[in-house]
Amino acid sequence: MLCYFCALPVDGSICQSCERMLRPKFNWLPALPNICMGGALYAYTPVIQSVIHGMKYDGNFKLGNLIQRAIQFSDIPHLYFETDGHVCVPSHWFRQFFRGRQHIPFLFDIFKGQNLDFSSLCHRRRYSRASVGLTRKERLQSISQRFKWRGNSSIQSVTILDDVCTTGATLSAMAKLLKSNGIENVYALVIAHQPLDKSCKNRST
Ligand SMILES: [Zn+2]
């Protein structure tokens, strides 16, 4: 057989070198506005990219299983389990640009059983206008106008969960929204960090 990721001949379905890339290795993200601590579980290697793309664009959750199962409690700093709330970037956040982001709660399955309710803390308001033709800044502004925090007032700290961080613009915009709703400390945890110089300008999130 050939390795699913790199197409080298292999006994099973994934070669050892690609298998190694599926093991998380936590790193802190560079400082981001409105976020106390940001971290990523993987570098954005071709293997991780192909898992995330397979889930995001082809709905291939079997591929996502490789990451979901690889992530253990010990891979994640405790502070991420200790925040009062956990929010996945909402599935409608980039509705016009992506097909849905149900892959995020799936990948962060490790947080389930922590008494967490990913889905209910942000609530989408009706669209006021289409985002087509807006600059990125305008788009982020229009996004934050569309989302309303509806978490309990006892929630003082929140971890935002997302798939890929490039510029951190999405995380910062969401953190700003949470802070404007009275959340004191916002943390961010993403699957992969893709440093800006490697990313395509129009896709940076
Ligand atoms: Zn391989």
Side-chain angles (χ1 to χ4, degrees):
M1 279 180 83
L2 301 178
C3 170
Y4 177 85
F5 293 106
C6 67
L8 288 174
V10 68
D11 285 338
S13 50
I14 302 171
C15 75
Q16 280 186 358
S17 128
C18 291
E19 179 89 58
R20 265 196 300 278
M21 285 188 227
L22 290 165
R23 287 181 211 146
K25 192 174 176 294
F26 181 86
N27 274 299
W28 297 107
L29 294 172
L32 293 170
N34 303 311
I35 293 177
C36 322
M37 300 284 229
L41 289 166
Y42 292 95
Y44 200 58
T45 60
V47 168
I48 298 306
Q49 179 178 20
S50 112
V51 171
I52 291 174
H53 278 212
M55 296 188 78
K56 205 152 147 174
Y57 302 113
D58 303 324
N60 189 343
F61 282 66
K62 256 189 178 164
L63 213 46
N65 261 320
L66 296 172
I67 284 186
Q68 191 203 58
R69 289 202 211 114
I71 300 172
Q72 305 295 318
F73 272 99
S74 53
D75 296 317
I76 301 175
H78 277 236
L79 64 93
Y80 289 112
F81 292 103
E82 287 158 7
T83 57
D84 299 332
H86 293 76
V87 180
C88 293
V89 172
S91 58
H92 304 289
W93 192 257
F94 279 119
R95 188 169 147 157
Q96 277 98 336
F97 313 103
F98 299 126
R99 287 179 202 168
R101 289 162 75 84
Q102 309 90 327
H103 62 289
I104 296 169
F106 182 88
L107 291 173
F108 283 105
D109 192 62
I110 190 83
F111 281 91
K112 286 196 195 131
Q114 298 292 301
N115 210 9
L116 306 176
D117 182 3
F118 286 148
S119 57
S120 64
L121 295 177
C122 274
H123 136 94
R124 188 168 69 96
R125 290 173 174 162
R126 236 155 23 110
Y127 284 103
S128 45
R129 60 173 169 152
S131 300
V132 179
L134 299 184
T135 65
R136 196 166 64 103
K137 196 178 167 201
E138 288 169 335
R139 208 162 73 208
L140 289 171
Q141 271 168 1
S142 112
I143 284 167
S144 46
Q145 282 155 13
R146 277 196 249 116
F147 283 84
K148 179 150 176 53
W149 172 253
R150 58 175 188 194
N152 187 304
S153 62
S154 68
I155 296 180
Q156 291 298 305
S157 58
V158 166
T159 297
I160 304 171
L161 303 169
D162 203 0
D163 53 3
V164 182
C165 171
T166 52
T167 63
T170 304
L171 296 174
S172 284
M174 195 158 166
K176 191 177 171 193
L177 168 70
L178 293 170
K179 290 197 143 188
S180 71
N181 282 271
I183 308 300
E184 274 177 34
N185 298 306
V186 181
Y187 299 80
L189 179 64
V190 299
I191 296 294
H193 179 214
Q194 177 190 33
L196 186 57
D197 56 354
K198 286 185 190 164
S199 72
C200 165
K201 209 176 166 189
N202 294 323
R203 291 264 304 275
S204 54
T205 57

